[in-house]
Amino acid sequence: MKVVLGVSGGIAAYKACELLRLFTESGHEVRVVPTREALNFVGAPTWAALSGNPVSAEVWDDVHQVPHVRIGKSADLVVVAPATADLLAKAAHGLAGDLLTNTLLTATCPVVLAPAMHTEMWQHPATRANVATLRERGAIVLDPAVGRLTGADTGPGRLPDPAEIFQVCLRVLRGRPRDLAGRRVVVSAGGTREAIDPVRFLGNRSTGLQGYALARTAAARGAEVTLVAANVALPDPAGATVVRAESAAQLREAVLAASAGADVVVMAAAVADFRPADRHDVKIKKTDGEPEPIRLTKNPDILAELGELRRAAREAAGDPAPAGRVAVDPAVIVGFAAETHDVLANGQAKLARKGCDLLVVNQVGEGRAFGTPDNAATVLVAGGEPVEVPLGPKEDVADAVWDLVAARLP
């Protein structure tokens, strides 16, 4: 497919070389269109050598080929990385002072913008208004990552990892609908850890791959994504705001806070059912004889609590939530059930018990589901027939879930 890679004038321009490599190595034809300012960071010969195509920032080069119209109209995807505050402002207001902004005005294909700038610039009301305008017009504007910026500054504004931008672009090129545009979604991922002492913990085998696929796919479909990640060693999905958690209690607090005002909550994390009743402040030493038993106590049931909070919010019919209670009323709540036996029977019982709309049930163990790139699932639907999702990449399972979610959104 034909991809236009726009590069605007930020220090993160050098990272676009990696994004270009990912596109070309996967067989895409890439035309790089930098701004004049971008060429101060990475020169035209570099872009030409890496892409195998001519590079120009000007509408006056090769005028007989009408590049300011032809490039955008012939592309299957336009992605701008980095997209500076200046570029976002020009795109939002329809300015066309160079080849890249002309290309954005004439593009009839999907457009993905990956912002990178200092935190103050990203949070400025003008930038926020420009981003909102672009999203309303159909562009996919990814939220920047949080991390080290130019100099000693740290905060939101870092260009997302090029490999993650590439993954979002692949989902867009597959032609998935932008049916989550304007929606706020919360996804939990990973596995919680419950401390026994400062060294040891009770945990599970979840790696977060399915939850991250859900977050990445939601961003590609236009959603504003908050990802609550428990003990996950994966790069942050491009376009998602990532909140870290370790224990079930921490994950509960983060999910409930993020769910206020959310349209969809997807509980893909493997949350520990139990925790040690007593946490030791120092490492338990090995002694002669048998160790003391570890007494367990139940963790809060976050999925059931979300269902209860939604029920209470709807019964209140607009009344303010009681003090100390988070007002949670998502249109769709999705749960996950990892089962080793009696998969559908256990799943149906859980669906009835939890108060969620969809329950994604999969069989785990013996190399299935946890830590693998593929997954298969049965999605149980409240008041409807189960939907089988055949074995395939976890992104395909994610798309199947979002298809069902989108159909239930008002």
Side-chain angles (χ1 to χ4, degrees):
M1 289 188 171
K2 295 182 178 180
V3 175
V4 174
L5 173 58
V7 185
S8 60
I11 186 62
Y14 77 93
K15 295 183 180 180
C17 295
E18 173 67 11
L19 182 57
L20 172 57
R21 183 187 66 82
L22 292 168
F23 275 119
T24 56
E25 289 188 354
S26 59
H28 296 89
E29 180 183 343
V30 185
R31 174 75 181 260
V32 180
V33 181
T35 64
R36 303 179 190 99
E37 294 77 14
L39 294 176
N40 290 321
F41 294 98
V42 181
T46 299
W47 298 122
L50 292 175
S51 68
N53 281 312
V55 173
S56 175
E58 306 297 338
V59 297
W60 305 109
D61 294 339
D62 299 319
V63 174
H64 65 288
Q65 295 183 359
V66 200
H68 72 291
V69 174
R70 178 180 55 81
I71 294 174
K73 290 180 66 174
S74 63
D76 297 298
L77 172 72
V78 176
V79 53
V80 182
T84 61
D86 180 69
L87 185 282
L88 294 174
K90 290 175 178 176
H93 290 85
L95 301 181
D98 59 13
L99 188 56
L100 178 54
T101 49
N102 273 271
T103 298
L104 289 171
L105 273 180
T106 57
T108 56
C109 60
V111 174
V112 176
L113 301 165
M117 64 197 73
H118 265 71
T119 301
E120 293 80 5
M121 300 172 75
W122 172 249
Q123 295 176 342
H124 194 282
T127 303
R128 304 308 298 160
N130 291 332
V131 168
T133 296
L134 290 165
R135 285 172 172 166
E136 288 171 4
R137 292 175 183 164
I140 297 173
V141 185
L142 304 174
D143 280 350
V146 176
R148 181 73 177 269
L149 306 173
T150 304
D153 293 341
T154 299
R158 183 182 177 90
L159 184 73
D161 187 281
E164 289 299 319
I165 298 173
F166 178 65
Q167 288 299 323
V168 169
C169 291
L170 289 184
R171 309 309 297 172
V172 174
L173 284 167
R174 285 190 59 181
R176 302 306 301 169
R178 295 195 66 256
D179 47 7
L180 299 179
R183 303 291 189 174
R184 288 186 56 206
V185 307
V186 178
V187 178
S188 70
T192 61
R193 295 176 178 179
E194 310 301 324
I196 299 171
D197 62 22
V199 177
R200 306 174 181 89
F201 60 84
L202 299 178
N204 57 66
R205 299 182 185 276
S206 178
T207 60
L209 286 171
Q210 185 63 76
Y212 272 55
L214 283 155
R216 185 184 299 117
T217 303
R221 294 172 76 147
E224 178 184 341
V225 183
T226 298
L227 174 63
V228 182
N231 308 296
V232 177
L234 297 170
D236 292 351
T241 298
V242 181
V243 180
R244 306 290 176 184
E246 181 172 354
S247 66
Q250 292 171 352
L251 187 129
R252 171 186 174 273
E253 181 179 357
V255 166
L256 292 183
S259 297
D263 298 290
V264 185
V265 181
V266 181
M267 285 295 298
V271 182
D273 293 321
F274 308 99
R275 69 180 186 275
D278 302 300
R279 182 188 184 279
H280 293 259
D281 294 330
V282 297
K283 179 183 175 182
I284 302 171
K285 304 299 290 184
K286 182 168 62 176
T287 59
D288 294 337
E290 293 297 318
E292 290 292 324
I294 298 175
R295 295 188 307 109
L296 300 178
T297 188
K298 283 186 178 181
N299 269 325
D301 190 327
I302 305 171
L303 181 58
E305 185 174 1
L306 285 168
E308 174 58 26
L309 286 171
R310 181 174 66 175
R311 184 191 63 78
R314 293 180 178 179
E315 287 182 354
D319 293 337
R325 170 177 280 182
V326 178
V328 173
D329 187 15
V332 183
I333 298 175
V334 183
F336 270 68
E339 302 289 348
T340 60
H341 63 285
D342 297 335
V343 175
L344 290 183
N346 287 330
Q348 291 284 7
K350 187 171 183 178
L351 176 66
R353 193 169 64 248
K354 302 290 187 178
C356 53
D357 303 289
L358 304 171
L359 188 73
V360 183
V361 186
N362 52 18
Q363 190 165 7
V364 299
E366 298 180 355
R368 288 178 295 221
F370 286 154
T372 66
D374 298 328
N375 200 3
T378 301
V379 184
L380 303 180
V381 180
E385 294 297 318
V387 176
E388 295 292 337
V389 183
L391 183 66
K394 287 184 173 176
E395 284 77 10
D396 290 353
V397 175
D399 265 329
V401 171
W402 290 123
D403 287 343
L404 293 168
V405 167
R408 299 178 76 92
L409 288 172

